[in-house]
Amino acid sequence: MHSKVDPAILDETRLKALRETRLLDSLNEEQFDRLTDLICKLLKVPVALVSLVDKDRQFFKSQQGLPEPWKSKRETPLSHSFCQHVVSRKKPLIISNAPGDPLVKNNLATTELNVTAYLGMPIKSPNHEIIGSICAINRIPHDWTKEEIDIMMTLAEFTITEIRLRHELRTKEKTEYKLRKANEDLKAFSYMASHDLRAPLSTVIGLIHILKDEQNNGVASDKAQNLIKRILMASKHMSQLISDSSKYINITNEPESISFEHISLKDPLEDAINNLDQVIKENNARISIPEELPLIRGIRSLMAELLQNLMANAIKYCREKPEVVVSTTETNGQISILIKDNGIGISENCNGSIFIPYKRLHSAKEFNGNGLGLAICKKIVQLHSGDISYQSSPGKGSTFIVKLPQPKNPVDNR
Ligand code: ADP
C-alpha cells in the first residue's frame, strides 16, 4: 500500500537505478550467496539477506535462513521489511530488540517472522542511489558490537563493488557492440560503394571515352571538348575517391586478426618505387634510398602502400625538380623511417590535421587529391603499433617520420 510507504522508497530516480542493476527477480548467484553465508558464519546469526527494496516489496537477491514461504518466494511485502528503513533513512539500521523499538515493533517481520535483532547496511547503485540493504538478523535480542558493525560495512562495500563492476561490464559490452555494429555497417557501405557505385562509374568513364573519340573524328567545338575533359576528370576523381575510401575503411584496427611477418624494408620500398614509376618519370623526380635497410615486422602490401603514399606526396607537393631522400635510423628498440622532400612544406597552423580523413590544405585546382593518403598512412602505422609525424618548414620541404617497433625475434621469421 503506497499510502504507508516512505516517499524516499518511491523516488523515481532510485527505482530507475534499482531496475538498471537488473538484479530484481534475477536468479540466485554464487557471488551474493557467498556473502550471506559469510555473514551467518562471521556474526553467528541464523538469517542474512541481500535485500533490494522495490516500491511495494523487498526482493532477496540472496538469503540464508528464512522460513517458508518467504524462502521460496524470495520476497516479502514491505509490511515485513526492516530493510525499507535503511533505504528511507539513507543510513545503517541497528536494532537490538525489535519488540521494544518504536520504529519496528509493529512491523510484521517482528511479529510474524520473529526478527528480533537487526543490523542492516545500505547497498548503493553505481550512481549512488540506495537500492537496498545487506543485513544480519537474530531471533534473540542482541547488542551488535563494533566489530560486527565493521564486518557488515565491509561486506556492504563488497556488494556495492560487485554491482558496480557488473554495470561497468555491461556498459563496456554495449559500447563494444555498438562499435562492432557501426564498423559492420561501414564495411557494408564500403562494399556497396566499391562494387555497386564503381560499376556504373566505369561505364560512364568508358562512354565518355567513346564520346571523346567520336568528337575527335567529327568537328567538335572547343567548348564540347573542354566539357568532355572535365567530365572525365571528375569521374576519375570520384572513382579514386571510392577506392581510397573503401581502402581506408577496410584497413583493420585489430592487429590480433592479422599475421605479421619479418620482412626487409627493402621489399615494400621497392614495390612502392615500382608502382610510382610513371609518376617519377613524368615529374623527373629523383629518389634516393639507403643501401642497407632494416628488418621490420609487418605486412608487405600495407607497408608498400604507406611508403608509396608518402613518396607520391613528396613528389606532388613540390614546385621544382623533386628530390626525395629515404633514410632510416635505429635507436631504443625503435626503427625510424624518414622521407624527406624539397617541396612546398606544410603550414604551421595546420596542427597535424593533415592526418584526418578527407582533410586537405590545398584545393583540387592547385594539387589534385582527396585527402585520404595520409589518413590511410596513419591507420597502417597504427596497425603496426607505430607512430607517424612530420617536420616541415614552409617553402623548404618536409620530412615525414614513421616510427616502428624493432622486431624482437627476427629469427622466427615465419
Ligand atoms: P591528398 O594529397 O590527397 O590531399 P593526403 O592525405 O595525402 O591527401 O595529404 C593531406 C594534405 O597534407 C595535403 O592536401 C597536403 O596539403 C598536405 N601534404 C601531405 N604531404 C605533403 C608534403 N610532402 N608536402 C607538403 N604538403 C603535404
Side-chain angles (χ1 to χ4, degrees):
M1 264 190 286
H2 283 192
S3 52
K4 283 189 188 163
V5 177
D6 192 287
I9 305 272
L10 299 173
D11 181 82
E12 273 307 321
T13 320
R14 191 194 78 82
L15 291 171
K16 184 164 177 273
L18 173 60
R19 280 194 297 275
E20 279 172 0
T21 61
R22 301 209 196 152
L23 291 173
L24 278 180
D25 301 314
S26 64
L27 296 174
N28 282 322
E29 283 179 87
E30 210 188 326
Q31 289 95 320
F32 292 94
D33 286 345
R34 266 198 233 128
L35 283 171
T36 46
D37 191 40
L38 206 60
I39 296 173
C40 291
K41 286 188 177 127
L42 290 174
L43 273 68
K44 301 195 175 52
V45 289
V47 181
L49 307 171
V50 173
S51 162
L52 301 167
V53 178
D54 202 357
K55 57 181 189 300
D56 52 4
R57 60 169 179 157
Q58 58 175 349
F59 169 76
F60 305 125
K61 177 60 195 167
S62 176
Q63 64 79 31
Q64 305 280 337
L66 275 186
E68 292 291 4
W70 314 115
K71 181 180 171 179
S72 302
K73 278 189 166 175
R74 297 177 68 212
E75 64 176 42
T76 72
L78 290 185
S79 53
H80 293 64
S81 167
F82 281 23
C83 295
Q84 64 176 313
H85 298 299
V86 176
V87 175
S88 60
R89 292 151 52 120
K90 299 188 169 65
K91 59 179 188 187
L93 180 65
I94 306 171
I95 308 256
S96 316
N97 186 16
D101 192 302
L103 181 70
V104 288
K105 66 177 181 197
N106 295 326
N107 193 300
L108 295 183
T110 313
T111 49
E112 288 180 14
L113 298 179
N114 201 13
V115 174
T116 307
Y118 174 98
L119 173 59
M121 298 289 160
I123 306 175
K124 290 181 189 161
S125 67
N127 61 344
H128 311 292
E129 292 292 332
I130 298 178
I131 54 173
S133 159
I134 179 168
C135 66
I137 291 171
N138 218 329
R139 295 215 168 91
I140 49 170
H142 177 70
D143 284 329
W144 302 101
T145 64
K146 181 173 179 316
E147 197 192 353
E148 286 169 333
I149 293 171
D150 285 349
I151 291 173
M152 286 303 287
M153 271 182 170
T154 309
L155 294 179
E157 280 308 319
F158 272 126
T159 317
I160 292 168
T161 307
E162 176 68 29
I163 294 171
R164 183 172 49 76
L165 288 178
R166 283 160 182 245
H167 173 77
E168 282 168 11
L169 192 69
R170 265 202 310 276
T171 313
K172 191 168 162 261
E173 281 170 356
K174 225 189 271 173
T175 317
E176 276 173 4
Y177 171 79
K178 278 190 194 148
L179 265 176
R180 225 175 17 247
K181 182 83 183 52
N183 221 1
E184 277 164 15
D185 290 350
L186 204 60
K187 285 209 167 136
F189 175 77
S190 126
Y191 184 85
M192 182 282 292
S194 58
H195 291 80
D196 301 353
L197 275 185
R198 275 188 91 180
L201 197 59
S202 303
T203 312
V204 170
I205 294 172
L207 291 174
I208 301 165
H209 275 294
I210 297 172
L211 189 62
K212 198 172 154 203
D213 291 344
E214 287 284 315
Q215 295 277 21
N216 286 345
N217 294 339
V219 201
S221 68
D222 284 355
K223 196 174 171 191
Q225 285 198 17
N226 187 275
L227 283 176
I228 290 172
K229 202 172 132 199
R230 280 169 57 193
I231 297 171
L232 205 54
M233 271 170 57
S235 312
K236 282 184 179 162
H237 181 80
M238 190 169 161
S239 173
Q240 189 66 43
L241 189 62
I242 292 172
S243 70
D244 284 352
S245 297
S246 90
K247 200 181 282 171
Y248 177 74
I249 291 168
N250 285 305
I251 297 172
T252 172
N253 291 320
E254 298 152 8
E256 317 79 49
S257 65
I258 285 188
S259 54
F260 290 88
E261 285 181 318
H262 287 97
I263 50 170
S264 164
L265 185 61
K266 194 164 187 275
D267 296 334
L269 190 57
E270 281 180 358
D271 294 345
I273 292 173
N274 287 337
N275 293 343
L276 287 172
D277 189 48
Q278 205 184 337
V279 179
I280 294 172
K281 282 187 185 135
E282 275 170 11
N283 291 277
N284 197 19
R286 211 176 74 176
I287 313 268
S288 57
I289 64 170
E291 291 211 340
E292 293 282 319
L293 282 156
L295 216 57
I296 57 161
R297 193 168 166 275
I299 299 147
R300 179 169 170 167
S301 58
L302 290 181
M303 286 306 294
E305 176 86 37
L306 164 75
L307 297 166
Q308 186 178 326
N309 283 351
L310 294 177
M311 288 193 290
N313 278 351
I315 297 170
K316 179 165 67 170
Y317 295 104
C318 189
R319 293 210 164 91
E320 41 199 88
K321 178 178 149 61
E323 304 266 355
V324 185
V325 181
V326 181
S327 62
T328 62
T329 60
E330 292 177 60
T331 42
N332 302 332
Q334 175 169 287
I335 296 174
S336 301
I337 309 164
L338 293 86
I339 290 134
K340 183 175 183 306
D341 64 47
N342 60 335
I344 57 171
I346 297 164
S347 151
E348 271 166 17
N349 38 24
C350 94
N351 291 328
S353 64
I354 53 175
F355 294 105
I356 297 171
Y358 308 106
K359 178 79 189 173
R360 306 202 66 219
L361 300 183
H362 299 95
S363 70
K365 266 192 191 140
E366 267 185 294
F367 295 99
N368 190 25
N370 54 32
L372 275 168
L374 288 178
I376 291 175
C377 290
K378 184 155 184 173
K379 236 177 155 184
I380 294 176
V381 173
Q382 282 174 341
L383 181 68
H384 285 76
S385 312
D387 180 47
I388 183 166
S389 59
Y390 65 87
Q391 289 168 355
S392 181
S393 344
K396 291 189 189 144
S398 319
T399 303
F400 278 80
I401 306 148
V402 172
K403 290 185 181 157
L404 297 176
Q406 226 162 10
K408 293 223 166 55
N409 292 315
V411 196
D412 305 337
N413 190 7
R414 234 130 294 266

